[in-house]
Amino acid sequence: MTLRIISAQEVLYDGEVTSVTLPGAKGSFTVLRNHASLVSTLTAGNICYVAPDGTTAEHAVSGGLADVDHNVISVCVY
């Protein structure tokens, strides 16, 4: 699964992940491989993800928009 986290200034992450947890407007949610397509607004919080080698990382965001489609998670943050 591919995760792309993009801000107006830079690409924060673009790579493969096994899972990603996002701070959705209606609550935090986790996306795994073959997740149903969705679009969600994001609130302030952390985007946490797990790389294929098992390492974890997170990015703090003030809000944004997430799009999940065909194992690609595109996140625009501010």
Side-chain angles (χ1 to χ4, degrees):
M1 197 166 59
T2 302
L3 172 63
R4 295 185 181 115
I5 305 173
I6 303 164
S7 75
Q9 294 80 25
E10 64 185 315
V11 175
L12 300 172
Y13 185 80
D14 187 358
E16 293 297 307
V17 297
T18 57
S19 71
V20 59
T21 301
L22 301 155
K26 299 271 185 175
S28 184
F29 63 97
T30 300
V31 177
L32 301 172
R33 180 168 294 287
N34 297 322
H35 194 285
S37 296
L38 67 85
V39 174
S40 177
T41 56
L42 303 178
T43 60
N46 291 321
I47 298 173
C48 305
Y49 55 89
V50 179
D53 66 1
T55 59
T56 61
E58 62 182 54
H59 291 282
V61 298
S62 299
L65 180 72
D67 175 72
V68 178
D69 194 36
H70 295 355
N71 290 319
V72 176
I73 304 103
S74 302
V75 185
C76 297
V77 298
Y78 51 86

